[in-house]
Amino acid sequence: MFRSRRTALRGLLRAAEVDALMVTDLINIRYLTGFTGSNAALLVHADGDTSTRFCTDGRYRTQAAEQVPDLQTVIERGSALALACSARSWGVRRLGFESDAVTVDAHAAMAEAADGVVLHRAPGLVQQLRVVKDDVEIAAVRAACAAADAALADLLAAGGLRPGRTEREVALDLENRMRRHGAAGPSFETIVAAGAHSAVPHHSPTEAELRAGDLVKMDFGALVDGYHSDMTRTVVLGPAAAWQRELHALVAAAQAAGRAALAPGAEVSEVDGAARRVVDAAGRGPDFMHGLGHGVGLQIHEAPALSKTGTGVLAAGMVLTVEPGVYLEGRGGVRIEDTLVVRDGAPDLLTCTSKELVEV
């Protein structure tokens, strides 16, 4: 699997007219090798794996042997500099580097170490491959979504959403339940926002107590095998007021329109537009103030971005969120979010929790 990913990258190296790429972004290194340590560099040579080198420090000697058994490994603390020093001897004359991840100081040090080798900006090459997920990646995201689904079901069944509990208590409860269902941890800081706080798109949980009649917005995800999930559900504590039902129904309709627009070849801005037009028609356009969604994978936010200003088209195998929200300042807000896979037919829904309005 990792060898095939490196092979695919080599086609991009040739197009970028570089002899090799110095990969220093640890997420990209994990994608290309499976290595999960905190210090590494990878020199992917256009000639093949026999000329490719992986480097980490002595702390990870055993781990590297287990996780990266198919590449020659160099053990040095300054991984990128060590590989840059030897690049010329490996036939590299033009070395690409991840200019979107390398600091100015790191670039200067690398240029000095790579004496006689021309450094060339080559941002986003690995990310171009990561945007479309393979079956192994989709299986990991599916497992992460299942852990989140199960955690929320447990929370509701156990009466975990009730007046008197704080937002922080509910957030911690959700995170612990995701771990019990196989997650290594949460994908990001869990959002639990009650009452007027639910009108803040990215509210951080506080000691505020949940109260009867509150909208409670929960945005959370699980981390499994390095892959993330992302889901938002909004419920009401007790019987819903008419305005809460109307708001939830509006967001549900927008979310359904966004999901229906997911298809290979669709412009990302048009997918956003499909959901946004539903909100605009209800006169709530200014209250939907963020993009419709984003890619999900080894990072919680990846390309592509579903937004009014987004560019590019969808392809089968992309994993995306669809998450419209409408927020009424001082009253409350609703967001409904799923993680889905773009398919040649209907999209594959990975988050399976019901989107019906739940009155707890």
Side-chain angles (χ1 to χ4, degrees):
M1 177 180 66
F2 299 115
R3 186 179 297 113
S4 67
R5 292 175 183 174
R6 295 191 295 268
T7 297
L9 177 61
R10 289 189 180 95
L12 300 180
L13 300 188
R14 288 186 281 271
E17 298 182 337
V18 295
D19 300 315
L21 177 67
M22 181 73 75
V23 184
T24 51
D25 185 311
L26 289 171
I27 296 293
N28 289 339
I29 290 171
R30 178 170 187 164
Y31 176 79
L32 294 168
T33 68
F35 182 72
T36 59
S38 66
N39 179 40
L42 175 69
L43 190 147
V44 180
H45 202 293
D47 286 348
D49 272 357
T50 56
S51 301
T52 293
R53 298 293 187 276
F54 172 79
C55 186
T56 187
D57 65 70
R59 295 172 298 164
Y60 298 112
R61 186 187 301 270
T62 300
Q63 182 176 333
E66 294 173 350
Q67 293 182 332
V68 197
D70 54 342
L71 292 177
Q72 294 189 50
T73 297
V74 178
I75 302 297
E76 289 285 351
R77 178 71 179 181
S79 297
L81 298 184
L83 295 182
C85 281
S86 300
R88 185 178 177 88
S89 68
W90 296 327
V92 177
R93 296 296 179 268
R94 189 172 171 84
L95 178 62
F97 70 97
E98 297 180 306
S99 55
D100 51 345
V102 174
T103 66
V104 173
D105 287 349
H107 172 266
M110 195 185 306
E112 183 178 354
D115 186 34
V117 175
V118 175
L119 296 187
H120 178 73
R121 292 186 179 187
L125 296 186
V126 182
Q127 287 89 328
Q128 288 182 46
L129 302 179
R130 285 172 46 197
V131 73
V132 173
K133 273 58 177 180
D134 57 36
D135 289 344
V136 172
E137 294 180 286
I138 291 172
V141 177
R142 191 185 301 277
C145 289
D149 279 328
L152 181 55
D154 283 357
L155 181 75
L156 293 172
L161 286 179
R162 61 180 182 272
R165 295 199 89 190
T166 69
E167 294 172 336
R168 284 199 180 113
E169 286 174 338
V170 174
L172 182 60
D173 197 348
L174 262 177
E175 292 175 1
N176 288 336
R177 291 177 189 277
M178 286 190 289
R179 289 185 175 91
R180 291 185 204 131
H181 286 281
S187 288
F188 50 90
E189 182 188 12
T190 297
I191 295 172
V192 175
H197 289 167
S198 63
V200 180
H202 274 193
H203 171 74
S204 293
T206 69
E207 292 300 322
E209 292 185 355
L210 279 60
R211 299 174 302 174
D214 277 353
L215 283 168
V216 181
K217 181 184 68 195
M218 297 167 288
D219 186 346
F220 60 103
L223 186 64
V224 175
D225 293 335
Y227 284 82
H228 300 73
S229 71
D230 201 353
M231 176 171 71
T232 306
R233 294 293 185 267
T234 307
V235 305
V236 180
L237 292 189
W243 72 271
Q244 293 171 327
R245 289 185 179 279
E246 292 170 3
L247 192 61
H248 192 277
L250 172 60
V251 175
Q255 211 252 359
R259 295 198 322 268
L262 291 179
E267 294 278 349
V268 296
S269 58
E270 177 52 30
V271 177
D272 176 275
R276 199 168 297 277
R277 284 191 290 273
V278 175
V279 179
D280 288 344
R284 290 293 185 185
D287 300 317
F288 177 16
M289 68 280 288
H290 55 72
L292 180 64
H294 54 85
V296 178
L298 284 168
Q299 292 175 290
I300 188 58
H301 292 107
E302 297 188 347
L306 301 180
S307 68
K308 290 189 288 188
T309 58
T311 58
V313 299
L314 300 184
M318 289 182 175
V319 177
L320 296 151
T321 68
V322 175
E323 50 178 303
V326 177
Y327 312 94
L328 309 184
E329 186 175 357
R331 296 184 72 191
V334 172
R335 181 162 67 246
I336 302 173
E337 175 185 20
D338 285 310
T339 300
L340 309 98
V341 186
V342 178
R343 299 294 194 189
D344 288 330
D348 185 2
L349 182 65
L350 302 185
T351 42
C352 299
T353 298
S354 171
K355 287 175 279 291
E356 297 296 321
L357 177 60
V358 173
E359 297 169 296
V360 180

